[in-house]
Amino acid sequence: MSAPGMIIERRPVPGGGPEGPGRGAGSTRGQLLLALFCGGYATGAVFGWGSQQLALIMGDFGLAAAALAAAVSCFLYARAHGSRFRPAWLLFAFSSAMAAAGNAVWGWYEVVRERPVPSPSLADLFFLLFAPPAIVGLLVLAKRPVTRAGWVCLALDSWLIAGSLLTLSWSLALAHTTHFEGESVAHAALSLAYPLLDIVLVSMVLALHFRRSKGNRSAVHTAIAALALTVLCDALFTSPLLREDYRSGQLLDAGWFAGSLLLAYAPWGARRTAETAVPHRGPRPPRHLRHSSRPIAGSLAALTPYLAAAVCTLGILYNVIEGRHVDRVVVFTGCTVVLALVVRQGIMLLDNIALTHELAQKENHFRSLVQSSSDVIMIAAPSGVLRYVSPAASGVYGRDADELIGTELAALIHPDDLGAVVHEVRRFLAANPAEEPTTRIECRFRSGTGDWLNVESTVNRHQGGLIFNSRDVTERVRLQAQLQHNAEHDPLTDLPNRALFTQRVRQALSGRRAGDSGTAVLFIDLDGFKGVNDRLGHQAGDELLVQAARRLQDSVRAGDTAARLGGDEFAALIAGDAGREPGAREFQVHEIADRLRLTLSQPYQVEGNEVRVAASIGVAFAEPGISAGDLLRNADLAMYRAKAGGKNRVELYAPQMQADVVRRTELATRLRSALHDGEFALLHQPVVDLATGRITAVAAHPRWRSGQGILFTPAEFLRVADGERAAELGRWMIEEAVEQAAERHRLGHRVPVSVRVPARRLLDRSTPLSTVEALLTRHGLPAGALIVELADSDPRIPFDELEQRLVALRRLGVRIALDGFGSGYAAITALRRLPVDILKLDRGLVEGVVESARLHKITSGLLRIAGDLGLQSVADGVDVPEQVLALRAMGCTHAQGMAFSGPLDEYRLRRALVGEEYPVPVGVPLPVLTGTPTTGTLPPMRSHNETRVPPT
């Protein structure tokens, strides 16, 4: 089979027919019961019912019961279903009721009164009322004409059938009926009324059988069959040959009985049959078989007038052949039938001319639509050969439509797309057209230049073949590809972004190389990049990132992936190597990471400037069962450990890093509620005058004792505190320090309290100066009793605004201390610009002041500056007597540290304040680096360990 045939070939889907097991069981049961009743009645009629009396009862009251059942059935159905056919079934119910009444009256005379039925009688009236409602009901069931010409044709068709039947009947029987001598006019009229009404009813049945509506066709067919059977029995009854010998209970009654039961069964049994039909899911029959009944029905409908004229002609010929005188009724009826046929043909001719003109207009309209459409419309035959191609092909495909006609469709589709197209077309052809009338196919199509165009086609079924409505979507596909690339790549460096990198990591962990050992992820952070941005601007920073990305891309292997995660963070995926031992693979990846670090740390030329940055790299190796998210997290933790360890280094992930993160996270979670739960306490460390040993101030230190009994210093819990918790803790610390200092003032211990406040916290708009003033006023603490220690004097903070805040505090009477003096390059700037009362030496200077001659000189110089400016100096972290002697000799005025006391709780602090002073070492300070024992005497030093925090 050729490729086009493979595309169009229809393959049935395995499955059952339209009805599954058990479907239609109720309908079959009803049909069996109907056949059983009718067969039983016919059998009884053939054998005479066993007795004359039973034959009369079954022939009269049996027919009445059957007609009454039909009347009740049609009435109940019309009452329960409010469709537009409801009047038809009500009329059928009335017609059957008349038949039941007529048979009942007939039985009254023959069975009850045991006398012949008079003629005419009330039964004749009921029987005459049977046909008119049935005729009107058939009109209601018929498909109504939509034009006036249609109504005229319907009337003409009915008269053609009626006239032909009247001609034939008159020639055969009715002419004899009209010449009965000795009969009354009423009897003669009644003799003619029965056959004439039957002729009208048969005419309506034949005329409307081919004009039935699309409603419940099974019910309509059954009802028409029931009325046709009834009319046939009436025609036999009116025949002179049968009427003279007719007796109730004979076989003719079985026809009436069957007609009544069939009409009773029509609405319910036929409806159940329609409902049991389900959507066709099995293999559908060929289209020419499914629609074969439609041409036959249309042909019979078109031939009906000619058949009627033929029957009329046969009636006249019968009279001529028998040598009879042609009756005037036959001549008049024949002429009217011929005239009706001529008129009908004229109407049909005019209608056909109008339809032809309308069809030509529509054809021209659709041809213009097809030819002017920008989409290409192609029709493929069942063999897969193109039979029609619209002119738009020259503009879309660059090929003439005539050139494409006769071409195999498969020859125009890209070989890589042909398999998917074949599969989709076969699936579409096997599907139910009602459920899936169209499908959509995208493939590449060969253009006239030999290029491949991306084509999207809407496919419909067409006489066993297919109709393709195709359009060129090449630009859309390119745009989608570009959008997809933009969504997965960094716009600055064109490296894969975080989303694509995560997808690649996931593929590496779950693909065919998932078992390879040594798959690693590298997280890279450029140290010092922020300084480049601040110094040279963001454009220079972007240029540096582009150069770094290029170096990273050039340094990894072809099978590896380099990505930019955002900001100055990059990443690399190093594919595993199944042929190496884990130890050797780890060494290799570490070597790659170190080479990347050296490469990224080389100088960059940015806008004529030489710029240097370093690289901190974290490495994490894939383990069995690890997810992509966990592997990326491990690499991130290792990278932050590298930055915390001094930067410009490579750090391998270790499980302890995750444990540290979990611990910090838990600590941060507990910290959120610790302040409200009263787990924080404030300790105070005395600040001692080095000349007298007197306590001149106390420095506030917060401590946190968690619910688990663990004591945390500020260096531990402030590291995990977020901005909101840190601000809340700062507000609590200053309020608690002021409140406790005010209480000590009321007890007579008038020593200032020093509170350490970060410089950025002072600039926080949520802590206005009025809050500090209100706090001092509320607790009754003099402003001079509060010392604010300015910490973290970062040069990037706005000094003008900070100076304004400090000046405002000094106006209140609050003294300002510069904390950590000598530890940063911003100290001199802060000292020059900010209003400072106290200089607090950094602990780093104090620790080596005795051992290091360099630190000794630096500290001495700083203290000399403080003295020249008239500032009070405080040394922090004075822990041994040698430091006390050295600092005092340099001119330091105050100190705090373990040489005097550690942080104390409120009870021990008050005891220390009662004593008012600490012993100060006396003597000559030791020469730096000599190790010679001191010539002075040192007083015995007691333990000044930090007091424990009282339980909360």
Side-chain angles (χ1 to χ4, degrees):
M1 181 178 293
S2 63
M6 292 170 57
I7 295 180
I8 309 298
E9 180 192 8
R10 186 186 303 267
R11 293 195 175 183
V13 178
E19 294 186 1
R23 292 187 181 269
S27 176
T28 304
R29 200 178 303 116
Q31 295 172 1
L32 290 176
L33 289 175
L34 178 65
L36 182 62
F37 277 111
C38 295
Y41 192 96
T43 302
V46 168
F47 293 100
W49 296 104
S51 66
Q52 183 65 28
Q53 186 66 19
L54 182 58
L56 292 177
I57 294 174
M58 295 303 296
D60 296 333
F61 291 111
L63 294 182
L68 183 61
V72 172
S73 174
C74 294
F75 177 77
L76 293 178
Y77 179 78
R79 184 177 180 182
H81 300 82
S83 64
R84 74 178 185 90
F85 300 125
R86 182 179 182 181
W89 293 107
L90 289 175
L91 290 170
F92 290 155
F94 180 77
S95 178
S96 298
M98 293 300 98
N103 283 296
V105 171
W106 198 285
W108 169 260
Y109 283 104
E110 286 190 338
V111 177
V112 178
R113 302 187 64 178
E114 298 181 352
R115 51 174 290 189
V117 180
S119 180
S121 66
L122 188 61
D124 293 322
L125 175 62
F126 287 132
F127 287 142
L128 289 176
L129 291 177
F130 167 79
I135 294 172
V136 178
L138 289 174
L139 287 173
V140 174
L141 287 179
K143 182 180 180 181
R144 299 177 182 178
V146 296
T147 62
R148 186 177 301 176
W151 284 104
V152 173
C153 288
L154 176 62
L156 292 175
D157 289 344
S158 300
W159 170 244
L160 285 171
I161 298 173
S164 61
L165 293 178
L166 177 61
T167 301
L168 186 60
S169 302
W170 191 275
S171 300
L172 296 176
L174 295 183
H176 302 286
T177 303
T178 57
H179 292 87
F180 288 159
E181 298 180 357
E183 294 184 352
S184 64
V185 176
H187 187 273
L190 187 62
S191 300
L192 290 174
Y194 280 119
L196 291 178
L197 286 176
D198 288 340
I199 289 173
V200 174
L201 188 56
V202 170
S203 302
M204 295 305 301
V205 168
L206 293 177
L208 298 178
H209 175 68
F210 303 109
R211 305 180 64 92
R212 56 192 180 275
S213 63
K214 294 183 179 180
N216 190 350
R217 291 189 174 184
S218 299
V220 174
H221 290 170
T222 308
I224 290 177
L227 294 176
L229 182 59
T230 303
V231 169
L232 177 62
C233 293
D234 287 344
L236 294 175
F237 174 75
T238 57
S239 173
L241 299 176
L242 295 179
R243 186 170 183 176
E244 295 177 358
D245 300 328
Y246 172 76
R247 297 289 184 274
S248 295
Q250 291 181 350
L251 186 60
L252 186 60
D253 291 346
W256 281 314
F257 183 83
S260 297
L261 288 188
L262 195 61
L263 185 60
Y265 169 79
W268 303 100
R271 176 175 175 268
R272 186 180 301 113
T273 303
E275 288 178 349
T276 54
V278 297
H280 191 83
R281 301 186 183 276
R284 300 179 61 85
R287 186 179 297 270
H288 67 279
L289 293 181
R290 296 201 303 268
H291 301 289
S292 61
S293 61
R294 295 182 184 178
I296 295 175
S299 301
L300 291 176
L303 291 176
T304 300
Y306 305 102
L307 293 176
V311 170
C312 181
T313 304
L314 289 176
I316 297 175
L317 290 176
Y318 176 81
N319 286 328
V320 174
I321 292 173
E322 292 292 327
R324 299 178 183 176
H325 176 70
V326 180
D327 195 279
R328 286 177 298 177
V329 175
V330 174
V331 174
F332 176 77
T333 304
C335 291
T336 56
V337 167
V338 173
L339 180 62
L341 181 61
V342 172
V343 174
R344 186 186 186 281
Q345 288 302 108
I347 294 175
M348 293 302 297
L349 179 62
L350 294 176
D351 195 25
N352 288 337
I353 293 174
L355 288 176
T356 303
H357 181 67
E358 182 181 358
L359 181 62
Q361 287 183 338
K362 290 184 177 181
E363 183 178 355
N364 292 332
H365 174 69
F366 284 109
R367 180 180 288 107
S368 63
L369 287 178
V370 171
Q371 292 180 352
S372 61
S373 174
S374 59
D375 293 351
V376 180
I377 300 176
M378 302 182 296
I379 300 179
S383 61
V385 177
L386 294 178
R387 295 304 184 193
Y388 172 80
V389 180
S390 65
S394 59
V396 176
Y397 298 149
R399 305 178 68 173
D400 292 337
D402 296 337
E403 179 186 350
L404 292 175
I405 295 176
T407 305
E408 293 184 353
L409 182 61
L412 303 175
I413 299 175
H414 196 282
D416 294 342
D417 300 338
L418 184 59
V421 173
V422 170
H423 179 272
E424 175 61 20
V425 168
R426 288 178 176 175
R427 185 203 62 78
F428 171 66
L429 291 176
N432 185 2
E435 296 178 357
E436 190 175 3
T438 63
T439 188
R440 180 172 294 180
I441 294 175
E442 286 194 21
C443 63
R444 283 166 290 179
F445 203 87
R446 187 186 298 276
S447 68
T449 60
D451 298 330
W452 294 103
L453 302 176
N454 294 96
V455 175
E456 179 186 69
S457 301
T458 302
V459 185
N460 297 271
R461 299 172 179 86
H462 175 70
Q463 297 180 356
L466 296 173
I467 297 179
F468 293 85
N469 192 347
S470 306
R471 62 204 63 90
D472 182 10
V473 293
T474 303
E475 290 301 321
R476 189 193 72 184
V477 171
R478 290 175 181 171
L479 179 60
Q480 288 177 344
Q482 184 63 42
L483 292 176
Q484 183 70 19
H485 180 85
N486 294 343
E488 295 179 341
H489 289 76
D490 176 58
L492 179 63
T493 63
D494 203 39
L495 290 180
N497 58 13
R498 182 182 293 272
L500 181 57
F501 183 75
T502 304
Q503 180 181 347
R504 296 266 180 93
V505 172
R506 189 177 296 112
Q507 291 174 353
L509 296 179
S510 60
R512 61 182 180 85
R513 303 187 63 178
D516 293 353
S517 62
T519 298
V521 170
L522 279 60
F523 265 41
I524 306 166
D525 184 84
L526 299 181
D527 303 322
F529 172 76
K530 191 175 186 304
V532 176
N533 259 347
D534 295 339
R535 188 169 72 257
L536 300 179
H538 289 280
Q539 185 173 356
D542 290 345
E543 176 61 26
L544 188 148
L545 290 176
V546 171
Q547 295 185 29
R550 192 178 301 118
R551 293 184 185 183
L552 178 61
Q553 183 68 50
D554 294 340
S555 300
V556 298
R557 301 172 304 177
D560 300 334
T561 300
R564 182 191 176 206
L565 305 183
D568 60 346
E569 290 188 357
F570 294 85
L573 172 64
I574 309 299
D577 188 357
R580 286 182 176 268
E581 295 294 330
R585 180 58 177 166
E586 182 176 325
F587 177 79
Q588 181 191 21
V589 172
H590 191 282
E591 188 179 35
I592 293 174
D594 198 59
R595 186 173 65 250
L596 285 176
R597 179 186 64 81
L598 295 175
T599 301
L600 295 175
S601 300
Q602 295 297 318
Y604 297 85
Q605 292 296 326
V606 178
E607 297 182 352
N609 300 308
E610 184 178 284
V611 179
R612 288 181 177 270
V613 294
S616 296
I617 302 179
V619 181
F621 287 92
E623 300 174 356
I626 193 171
S627 65
D630 291 342
L631 183 58
L632 296 177
R633 180 204 61 200
N634 294 345
D636 195 28
L637 292 176
M639 185 265 291
Y640 278 105
R641 176 61 62 91
K643 293 179 70 67
K647 302 181 180 179
N648 194 22
R649 57 184 295 176
V650 177
E651 192 75 33
L652 297 181
Y653 170 78
Q656 182 60 34
M657 297 180 185
Q658 177 63 21
D660 293 342
V661 171
V662 172
R663 178 177 178 275
R664 288 198 299 268
T665 303
E666 293 176 352
L667 193 62
T669 302
R670 295 202 301 266
L671 182 62
R672 293 187 179 94
S673 60
L675 192 59
H676 300 285
D677 295 341
E679 297 181 2
F680 275 89
L682 199 62
L683 304 182
H684 294 83
Q685 187 173 29
V687 178
V688 179
D689 188 337
L690 293 181
T692 63
R694 295 178 59 84
I695 301 175
T696 59
V698 292
H701 295 276
R703 294 292 186 270
W704 172 30
R705 183 177 294 277
S706 67
Q708 290 76 21
I710 304 174
L711 185 65
F712 298 101
T713 63
E716 295 174 307
F717 60 75
L718 288 179
R719 189 167 57 246
V720 299
D722 55 19
E724 183 180 355
R725 298 283 86 76
E728 186 178 3
L729 182 59
R731 289 191 294 269
W732 169 85
M733 181 177 172
I734 192 170
E735 291 179 6
E736 189 73 12
V738 170
E739 181 180 0
Q740 293 185 15
E743 180 65 24
R744 290 192 295 270
H745 267 250
R746 284 190 288 271
L747 296 176
H749 306 299
R750 302 182 182 278
V751 293
V753 62
S754 175
V755 181
R756 193 172 186 269
V757 181
R760 293 191 179 276
R761 188 67 58 204
L762 284 175
L763 298 176
D764 190 356
R765 298 294 182 182
S766 63
T767 311
L769 296 177
S770 57
T771 303
V772 178
E773 184 179 4
L775 187 63
L776 296 174
T777 303
R778 183 169 71 249
H779 293 288
L781 181 68
L786 177 62
I787 302 173
V788 173
E789 294 184 9
L790 183 63
D792 301 334
S793 54
D794 192 332
R796 291 172 294 183
I797 64 176
F799 270 90
D800 294 336
E801 187 177 353
L802 180 60
E803 182 180 3
Q804 294 175 5
R805 298 298 296 268
L806 294 178
V807 169
L809 285 174
R810 290 192 70 185
R811 289 198 188 103
L812 295 177
V814 177
R815 289 188 290 172
I816 307 299
L818 185 59
D819 189 23
F821 186 71
S823 62
Y825 57 86
I828 300 300
T829 303
L831 183 62
R832 179 174 61 86
R833 299 190 55 181
L834 302 179
V836 177
D837 301 296
I838 302 171
L839 282 182
K840 199 166 185 180
L841 291 178
D842 184 72
R843 179 183 291 270
L845 292 176
V846 176
E847 287 178 350
V849 72
V850 177
E851 293 83 3
S852 173
R854 186 181 184 87
L855 288 180
H856 188 279
K857 293 178 180 180
I858 294 174
T859 305
S860 177
L862 294 176
L863 290 173
R864 191 179 307 113
I865 292 173
D868 293 343
L869 295 176
L871 302 179
Q872 180 181 330
S873 58
V874 178
D876 188 15
V878 181
D879 296 332
V880 295
E882 291 80 3
Q883 294 172 344
V884 176
L885 293 175
L887 291 169
R888 186 173 59 184
M890 295 179 195
C892 184
T893 59
H894 296 77
Q896 68 182 72
M898 297 303 294
F900 304 103
S901 174
L904 305 174
D905 59 22
E906 190 64 22
Y907 172 75
R908 294 176 182 270
L909 177 62
R910 292 180 183 179
R911 287 184 56 187
L913 292 175
V914 170
E916 294 187 351
E917 63 180 28
Y918 283 97
V920 179
V922 295
V924 180
L926 294 173
V928 178
L929 301 177
T930 60
T932 308
T934 180
T935 58
T937 59
L938 297 176
M941 303 296 291
R942 49 183 184 171
S943 173
H944 302 302
N945 291 335
E946 177 179 332
T947 58
R948 63 183 184 85
V949 178
T952 56

